[in-house]
Amino acid sequence: MPPIPGSGLAKGLAVTLRTMTKKTVTAQYPDTQPELPPRSRGVIGLFEENCTVCMLCARECPDWCIYIDSHKETVPPAAPGGRERSRNVLDRFAIDFSLCMYCGICIEVCPFDALFWSPEFEYAETDIHELTHERDKLREWMWTVPEPPALDPGAEEPKEIAAARKTADKLAAQQAQQSEEGGTP
Amino acid sequence: MNDVSDVALRLAIVFVVFLVAPLLVGQTEHKVMAHMQGRLGPMYAGGFHGWAQLVADGVKFAQKEDVVPAAADRRVFQLAPAVALLPYLLVLVAIPVGPGDGAVGQVIDAGIFFVLAVMGIGVLGSLMAGWASANKFSLLGGLRTAAQLLSYELPMLLAAASVAMAAGTVSLTGILDAFEWWWLPWQIAGALVFFVAGLAELQRPPFDMPVADSEIIFGAYTEYTGLRFALFLLAEYAGIVILCALTTVLFLGGWHGPFGADGLGWLWTLLKTALLAFVVIWLRVSYPRLREDQLQKLAWTTLVPLALAQIALTGIVKVAIN
Amino acid sequence: MHSVAPSVLAAAVADHPGFLSPTGVEIAFVLVGLTTLGAAVITVTTRQLVHAALWLVVALGGLAVEYLLLTAEFIAWVQVLIYVGSIVVLLLFGLMLTRAPIGRSPDADSGNRWIALGVALASAAALVWVVVDAFRTTWIDLEGPAQGSTAVTGAFLFRNWVLPFEALSVLLLAALVGAIVLSRKHDTDTAVRRDTAVRPDTAVRPDPAVRPAPDPADRRGKEEQS
């Protein structure tokens, strides 16, 4: 059956009228903050305690926007007669956000989970030099990092938890065996 | 002396309405269009839902430099906005809002002819602006305006003539006095033709080929800045008010309403006008722009025959009644 | 030139009840008449084409005001609707579509100035003579019921002047049909020409392969220059 002439026009009017009665999608940004999901690429936070100054992030950065200074300290031997160990101590960790292109490679390569994405994005400056943020600022941002989203149901277990559980299982098995051995005599 | 003050009061009221009503329509357009597109529209100016947005716009326009292009024809260029705007002010004087002679700026014997004639002058402003700007896009816009007016003036006149035939008078108050509710279905085709042709004369979307921004920037108004530009915009919105009020008076019975006290006729007129203004905005949001040839085709192959058929129908019914 | 007749008429009107005490309407009539005359003169003498058309608007509008002052309201609005709203717009449209330079057009003057002036004066004289002779001491009562109202004009036109009215209608219809016929004939002509132009054996198609490629050396040279 051919469409009634003008039905298309009426349909167009209906669409706009229906949209008018619906809730708008405009976010009133400065008045209400946007709800950004975890891992939104707002800014990079640094969890200093995890950093070993391995320099992987600085080397992988395509923009060379991460500056790291460190020195070595010798740590007295843990046991008497043992060897002295040397440890890297972080002196400076800065990211120049005027160069950063938010690719997230540094976060991906960090083997010790010291870098995180934070959804915080309001750090515009009037001078480009002020966009180089030092470790204290990066640490402040660390506290704005939200909890990662829950895993999908039926997803593979996270590696570290799997490893921890394996160890725990092994220990439990050992203990059980020991108590069995101790019980038989 | 009483007469003089009466006339002055009426003119003052008409002038205030002329300044306020277009702003109301403009603000409604801001908000309605925004919500039809899932947006909020202006929210800040004036505090409450951006009610003062157009006031702020006016202040902004007043602050801008008034530029006249070097190659332009200075006097014609500067005169054009006034020519575009003033006719609508004149038309507003003749539109009856309520029953009786008290609710109209000035009773005019040949009302229909007056309003249509004076509205036709407004287009001269666009033509003058387009030519005097010394800009190819402006000239194209002016030409498109003129072509559009030439083709849509005819169906508009014919549709208005149909009502005049039905009422047996060309006075706007006379037409309203003669109005009966069954004119609504009787004149429906004429009403559609009148409204559509009026939209085209105002260059409102979907008939905004003369100001098609993707092709010719802003048509005849491309070179205008500051207050003169604002006057052109004001003319467009005043045109919407006039068109809606005219359609109300001619086809929808003006102050006649199904219920309501005698003194509240003007409320019906305003309500119907506002409703039509909403439709104007609604159409703008819903439809894409018509191409120039589609525009001409619509006028000559659809609207003119429809208007002629309406006149024939009016004549037949009129004779049958008598 | 049309305005000559009304202003003379105005003088005649002012003459009768006392030349020294003209009413406000009469003064307005004369003033508007002079303005109209001035606009008409500028229309025919200006060298700027579009300005001429715009001055014509002023002249025609002034004429409408004169009609209004003579209480012929209907005629006044029809004058605005037809002449100012349509004819002049059509005129301007035609001008702008063909040629309408900003500034003076040196060729806007024909060599027939004096002849034109003679014709204009002759026709003005004829009009004045006819009008004065026809109306002489006829009076328009400005205070009484409007004598040029729509109802009166309609009754007059369709009772006394139906035959000329219909004759004019037929004339206009003939002109309309003629115009359509002329434009249609032209249309088929071009259609036939277009047909022959695109016939495959005569059409020359541009071959993309032989299109001259831009010379890289040339371009490099330009870049260096810039």
Side-chain angles (χ1 to χ4, degrees):
Chain A
M1 187 187 128
I4 308 159
S7 64
L9 296 179
K11 231 181 261 174
L13 288 176
V15 166
T16 41
L17 198 64
R18 217 177 307 128
T19 314
M20 191 177 77
T21 57
K22 278 187 195 153
K23 202 170 152 28
T24 55
V25 295
T26 307
Q28 291 287 84
Y29 157 58
D31 296 339
T32 56
Q33 287 290 331
E35 279 184 24
L36 294 171
R39 297 174 192 164
S40 293
R41 300 187 173 204
V43 78
I44 296 167
L46 171 70
F47 192 58
E48 242 176 83
E49 284 75 2
N50 280 359
C51 182
T52 62
V53 201
C54 66
M55 301 293 281
L56 273 179
C57 51
R59 267 183 282 168
E60 290 298 326
C61 179
D63 291 341
W64 292 89
C65 69
I66 301 181
Y67 308 107
I68 300 177
D69 290 340
S70 68
H71 67 273
K72 283 199 179 191
E73 270 179 9
T74 45
V75 183
R83 191 162 58 87
E84 277 190 343
R85 288 170 184 271
S86 69
R87 187 169 71 88
N88 286 324
V89 179
L90 192 64
D91 290 333
R92 181 184 183 221
F93 193 107
I95 299 178
D96 187 350
F97 284 103
S98 65
L99 291 179
C100 177
M101 61 182 192
Y102 302 90
C103 63
I105 289 178
C106 50
I107 292 161
E108 292 297 322
V109 298
C110 182
F112 301 104
D113 280 350
L115 292 173
F116 291 92
W117 276 123
S118 158
E120 185 61 39
F121 59 93
E122 292 174 309
Y123 52 97
E125 300 286 351
T126 47
D127 189 346
I128 198 167
H129 300 297
E130 289 165 18
L131 274 171
T132 308
H133 287 294
E134 298 294 334
R135 59 198 275 192
D136 48 342
K137 188 76 186 165
L138 298 179
R139 190 182 180 76
E140 262 171 48
W141 275 321
M142 187 58 218
W143 313 132
T144 63
V145 175
E147 214 176 293
L151 291 172
D152 292 340
E156 198 189 325
E157 215 173 10
K159 290 258 164 50
E160 56 268 36
I161 293 182
R165 201 165 45 87
K166 215 183 251 172
T167 329
D169 284 353
K170 213 183 269 173
L171 273 173
Q174 263 176 7
Q175 272 175 2
Q177 205 179 353
Q178 270 174 10
S179 62
E180 215 171 275
E181 277 168 9
T184 38
Chain B
M1 203 60 214
N2 201 18
D3 245 18
V4 174
S5 65
D6 182 54
V7 168
L9 182 69
R10 277 162 191 245
L11 289 186
I13 290 175
V14 166
F15 191 65
V16 168
V17 169
F18 180 71
L19 288 182
V20 172
L23 291 189
L24 279 179
V25 174
Q27 183 68 21
T28 316
E29 177 166 40
H30 268 318
K31 290 310 252 186
V32 167
M33 197 155 95
H35 281 274
M36 282 183 170
Q37 295 167 343
R39 300 182 286 118
L40 284 170
M43 288 298 280
Y44 285 96
F48 180 73
H49 284 263
W51 66 270
Q53 183 61 46
L54 288 174
V55 179
D57 281 350
V59 172
K60 180 195 74 178
F61 277 129
Q63 289 170 342
K64 287 197 170 182
E65 186 189 357
D66 187 22
V67 179
V68 180
D73 191 310
R74 258 194 115 70
R75 258 184 304 168
V76 178
F77 184 85
Q78 291 176 333
L79 201 63
V83 176
L85 185 61
L86 278 183
Y88 293 119
L89 178 60
L90 286 181
V91 170
L92 202 59
V93 170
I95 291 179
V97 180
D101 287 354
V104 52
Q106 172 67 45
V107 180
I108 289 178
D109 181 37
I112 289 190
F113 281 94
F114 171 72
V115 292
L116 293 178
V118 176
M119 268 177 86
I121 296 177
V123 83
L124 268 180
S126 296
L127 261 181
M128 285 163 69
W131 174 76
S133 294
N135 176 326
K136 285 190 181 106
F137 295 120
S138 298
L139 187 59
L140 273 177
L143 285 178
R144 285 183 179 183
T145 308
Q148 201 156 310
L149 176 95
L150 287 176
S151 39
Y152 281 91
E153 183 88 348
L154 183 62
M156 199 167 172
L157 274 177
L158 290 176
S162 158
V163 185
M165 274 170 70
T169 171
V170 289
S171 143
L172 292 177
T173 42
I175 288 173
L176 280 180
D177 286 336
F179 184 82
E180 306 279 348
W181 69 267
W182 49 267
W183 284 22
L184 221 51
W186 182 24
Q187 301 290 343
I188 185 73
L192 279 177
V193 169
F194 187 85
F195 194 62
V196 170
L199 274 184
E201 280 203 19
L202 294 178
Q203 304 158 28
R204 286 288 300 179
F207 306 103
D208 59 340
M209 207 62 198
V211 291
D213 50 353
S214 49
E215 297 175 19
I216 51 175
I217 310 173
F218 203 50
Y221 322 126
T222 302
E223 297 287 356
Y224 281 87
T225 55
L227 268 184
R228 289 182 204 281
F229 183 74
L231 287 184
F232 273 121
L233 285 189
L234 186 65
E236 181 181 342
Y237 286 91
I240 295 175
V241 174
I242 298 292
L243 171 71
C244 296
L246 264 186
T247 313
T248 303
V249 167
L250 289 181
F251 295 95
L252 302 184
W255 43 264
H256 293 274
F259 46 80
D262 280 343
L264 291 176
W266 55 274
L267 215 57
W268 278 113
T269 310
L270 291 188
L271 189 73
K272 290 170 185 173
T273 308
L275 209 68
L276 282 176
F278 174 78
V279 172
V280 171
I281 298 164
W282 191 9
L283 290 173
R284 168 175 182 180
V285 183
S286 303
Y287 295 142
R289 182 182 299 137
L290 261 73
R291 221 169 43 220
E292 190 65 31
D293 61 319
Q294 293 169 330
L295 264 177
Q296 299 291 334
K297 201 174 165 200
L298 178 71
W300 293 109
T301 64
T302 311
L303 292 188
V304 171
L306 251 179
L308 287 173
Q310 173 67 61
I311 285 189
L313 179 71
T314 308
I316 291 168
V317 173
K318 190 81 182 164
V319 169
I321 291 172
N322 288 355
Chain C
M1 285 300 117
H2 290 290
S3 57
V4 173
S7 52
V8 168
L9 191 67
V13 167
D15 229 9
H16 192 70
F19 190 63
L20 292 175
S21 61
T23 62
V25 174
E26 285 160 5
I27 294 173
F29 190 92
V30 173
L31 287 181
V32 174
L34 287 177
T35 315
T36 309
L37 180 64
V41 170
I42 297 175
T43 301
V44 292
T45 51
T46 180
R47 292 282 177 89
Q48 306 194 23
L49 286 175
V50 175
H51 282 199
L54 293 177
W55 279 112
L56 186 62
V57 172
V58 177
L60 293 170
L63 218 53
V65 175
E66 299 282 49
Y67 287 140
L68 262 187
L69 291 176
L70 293 176
T71 70
E73 203 183 297
F74 180 75
I75 304 289
W77 300 136
V78 169
Q79 165 92 4
V80 174
L81 185 69
I82 304 295
Y83 283 94
V84 180
S86 304
I87 304 249
V88 173
V89 169
L90 192 64
L91 197 76
L92 276 173
F93 184 65
L95 263 181
M96 291 180 187
L97 209 57
T98 49
R99 48 178 305 163
I102 288 179
R104 289 156 180 272
S105 314
D107 57 344
D109 199 10
S110 75
N112 309 330
R113 277 206 155 203
W114 295 109
I115 303 172
L117 185 65
V119 170
L121 283 180
S123 53
L127 271 173
V128 169
W129 180 61
V130 166
V131 169
V132 169
D133 189 50
F135 292 101
R136 279 184 195 277
T137 54
T138 312
W139 284 97
I140 295 175
D141 185 14
L142 295 177
E143 263 74 49
Q147 293 172 356
S149 71
T150 317
V152 176
T153 310
F156 207 63
L157 196 61
F158 289 103
R159 290 225 176 94
N160 303 2
W161 300 98
V162 151
L163 199 62
F165 180 82
E166 290 299 331
L168 262 179
S169 309
V170 171
L171 186 68
L172 287 177
L173 189 66
L176 197 68
V177 172
I180 291 173
V181 167
L182 281 177
S183 60
R184 279 194 72 82
K185 186 159 175 275
H186 181 70
D187 205 39
T188 51
D189 269 3
T190 52
V192 167
R193 233 177 289 140
R194 207 178 299 132
D195 275 355
T196 55
V198 295
R199 211 183 293 154
D201 51 352
T202 54
V204 182
R205 292 223 181 86
D207 191 348
V210 293
R211 199 184 297 152
D215 188 2
D218 187 24
R219 240 165 95 189
R220 217 175 300 129
K222 268 181 203 156
E223 271 165 20
E224 274 164 17
Q225 272 172 13
S226 64

